[in-house]
Amino acid sequence: MVTLEEYNSTEKPTWCPGCADYTILTTIKKTLTELNIESHNAVLVSGVGCFAKLPYWIKTNGFVGLHGRSLPVAQGIKLANEDLTVIAFGGDGDGYSEGGNHFIHACRRNVNITYVVHNNGVFGLTTGQYSSTSTMGTKSKSSPRGSIEVSFNPIAVALASGATFIARVYVGNPSHCVDIMKKAVQHNGFAFVDIIQPCITFGKNHEYYKDKIYIVDEKYDWSDKSTAFLKALESDTGKIPCGIIYKK
Ligand SMILES: Cc1ncc(C[n+]2csc(CCOP(=O)(O)OP(=O)(O)O)c2C)c(N)n1
Ligand SMILES: [Mg+2]
């Protein structure tokens, strides 16, 4: 029986106190433990950003690579050894901007890995520039008068690109994060989980998300792609649906 201790690193994270990345770290540890995956059989792959430090602080195999390039590395690892549980990480900057092209093609390719994107709507590590998922009008260091760009919709892009498991969770609901993450890791194919998180130092706080986040109800049919597209587009209007949005 695998225990959480097996994954505990002796190194202490250097994220800002109160950062949502701590919750995601715990989510990953719980997911691997509850699925009884031994640490020598897991590999965590990331790129560049605050989020990308996650593999430093969990005692398992890790690969921290180039900006926006966790997916090609993760797919290569899985193809070389299909017995490994491979989880790739991205940030909204890293995965949707720098690595956007890899994201689209990983969705199409459907290699059996999990892709987790820490979506805090800001470039955190470089201290607070607006990102592709910042909402229009977001004021930041690089958009002092407010961003004029339409924000990137990762759920709609994943749907259009053929991903077979698409989900979104909010870091403010940790048990839901673990529940969905376990389903993502168990999915046989490319599983994508967008994690909405505040950046309490440079971005939005929990208060901002409070009335926007909701979990899709039990009647929601995640097997129907047209329904899933409508759900995905809701986030352009201010509401942020969470849960499994599409699964094939
Ligand atoms: C090729 C390259 N371009 C730009 C940078 C600068 N850079 C470092 S982290 C980062 C963005 C990180 O933002 P995100 O992926 O959202 O992660 P977060 O820090 O918010 O967790 C950028 C642009 C870099 N290190 N390498
Ligand atoms: Mg970010």
Side-chain angles (χ1 to χ4, degrees), residues 22-206:
Y22 289 96
T23 309
I24 301 176
L25 180 69
T26 307
T27 299
I28 299 300
K29 285 187 195 173
K30 283 192 175 167
T31 298
L32 293 167
T33 308
E34 290 176 21
L35 292 179
N36 212 26
I37 295 164
E38 291 170 292
S39 57
H40 65 269
N41 284 328
V43 189
L44 309 181
V45 185
S46 70
V48 177
C50 294
F51 79 90
K53 300 176 180 190
L54 187 143
Y56 300 175
W57 300 311
I58 174 164
K59 206 168 122 203
T60 181
N61 304 294
F63 189 109
V64 177
L66 299 176
H67 211 355
R69 269 68 179 159
S70 62
L71 283 172
V73 174
Q75 290 168 102
I77 292 170
K78 184 69 184 181
L79 292 176
N81 185 348
E82 63 179 2
D83 295 335
L84 298 172
T85 296
V86 181
I87 306 179
F89 295 87
D92 43 319
D94 177 270
Y96 299 151
S97 297
E98 281 88 346
N101 192 33
H102 290 292
F103 175 47
I104 291 168
H105 296 286
C107 289
R108 292 176 48 240
R109 203 168 287 131
N110 202 26
V111 174
N112 187 12
I113 61 169
T114 305
Y115 185 42
V116 177
V117 177
H118 299 223
N119 184 358
N120 58 4
V122 73
F123 283 19
L125 189 69
T126 46
T127 71
Q129 297 79 13
Y130 76 104
S131 81
S132 51
T133 57
S134 300
T135 44
M136 204 185 256
T138 297
K139 290 194 174 164
S140 74
K141 284 186 176 171
S142 54
S143 55
R145 294 188 211 162
S147 154
I148 57 168
E149 296 172 18
V150 171
S151 61
F152 183 79
N153 186 325
I155 305 291
V157 171
L159 272 167
S161 309
T164 52
F165 182 105
I166 302 170
R168 171 175 261 161
V169 292
Y170 178 54
V171 88
N173 188 342
S175 58
H176 188 240
C177 290
V178 176
D179 176 39
I180 297 292
M181 197 66 68
K182 279 160 65 177
K183 291 180 173 130
V185 170
Q186 286 175 308
H187 177 69
N188 186 19
F190 183 76
F192 163 57
V193 183
D194 179 75
I195 306 193
I196 300 285
Q197 62 169 137
C199 170
I200 54 169
T201 307
F202 299 111
K204 308 241 182 340
N205 55 22
H206 280 289

